[in-house]
Amino acid sequence: MKPGHSHVPATQAFANGIPNGGTPANHVTAECARVAPVLSRIGDKWTVLVVTFLGRGPMRFNALRREIGGISQRMLTLTLRSLERDGLVTRTVYATVPPQVEYALTELGRSLLIPVLAIRDWARQNALQIEAAQQHFDALAAAARPACGGVAHTGGRPSAVGVDEIAHLQSER
Amino acid sequence: MKPGHSHVPATQAFANGIPNGGTPANHVTAECARVAPVLSRIGDKWTVLVVTFLGRGPMRFNALRREIGGISQRMLTLTLRSLERDGLVTRTVYATVPPQVEYALTELGRSLLIPVLAIRDWARQNALQIEAAQQHFDALAAAARPACGGVAHTGGRPSAVGVDEIAHLQSER
DNA sequence: CAGCATCCATTACGATACTG
DNA sequence: CAGTATCGTAATGGATGCTG
């Protein structure tokens, strides 16, 4: 996600914070208020991809674009800007004709690479197991829903986060 | 969230001397297609929080809600459902009055906890450095942008991402 | 207590067109 | 080549009200 969100989960907690109610969560929420935006960055659609690609070495804009494959120019620009802003990548402009811009991880960026690769590897290793779990879950959900029989209420599933998830990609036109 | 590259020609060879060697490049894109949804899940607004809290032990719905602090019921439900669907948490209903539902990490969920905590710790350790980088970046951006009357010199950079978020940079005070 | 359903605002993202 | 500007759409997520 973009770093734009003004609302971090902690605001409400503190607004409601009863001094006597004694929620043990105070330090936790304060902490995650700082951590949350970083996690949002990690989890947005392209950051991890970009960082891992840059982890192989410096790259120019369109090279990155081509390598990554599905990213729009806009999103690559935005992602790189955010990363630059966070001090995770450097942007070096060579005043040539045509212009060349090279992106590279900073030291901080390389340190991020380590846990990021760990997550990626976890995802890689457990992707099949997760898919299996999903299918199992969906099968049970379908069985538990006596939808058939004529009355089809609107839609069936909200599909907000859960069931859907596999769709929506424009390949090309 | 999911870059379902249905195509992505495997035309590219890495132009930067990547330690890729003989591995076909399309392997990478196919792989990240599987990895991407997992990363999206990780990066959504609440998953990491929920997983880390559950990492401490099983918890009931409203306990979780209270602990986390800023989460709406809807999002907690949705997040837990997704996690359950992915086989990362179990949901146990006790047929008491009033009903009790307990959530706990599965084995898979606990294995996820490891890299997730690594990321969280990274975020924690580098939050200040990132904030500093952001302020530095924003300062430069502001300096490059003449707010009034001045010279509109080329080189005045980003207005795309920057402006909108400096205002909201502070999460809580 | 746990949880769905509905409405609604904000945001993310892709496509497209234009610039230095 | 490497962007920027603008638009439309889809997804995200909060608030509220209803259920067993």
Side-chain angles (χ1 to χ4, degrees), chain A residues 122-133:
Chain A
W122 183 92
R124 221 137 64 162
Q125 283 166 21
N126 299 98
L128 291 180
Q129 199 171 339
I130 289 173
E131 272 176 49

Side-chain angles (χ1 to χ4, degrees), chain A residues 1 60-62 73-74 77 81 91 99 101 103 160:
Chain A
M1 293 176 193
R60 287 174 52 190
F61 188 88
N62 276 339
Q73 191 192 40
R74 175 192 147 89
T77 303
R81 277 281 175 283
R91 176 175 177 274
V101 180
Y103 292 91

Side-chain angles (χ1 to χ4, degrees), chain A residues 40-59:
Chain A
S40 293
R41 172 66 31 79
I42 307 300
D44 80 353
K45 200 174 179 182
W46 300 111
T47 298
V48 169
L49 255 336
V50 170
V51 168
T52 54
F53 273 101
L54 285 180
R56 298 167 145 141
M59 261 197 196

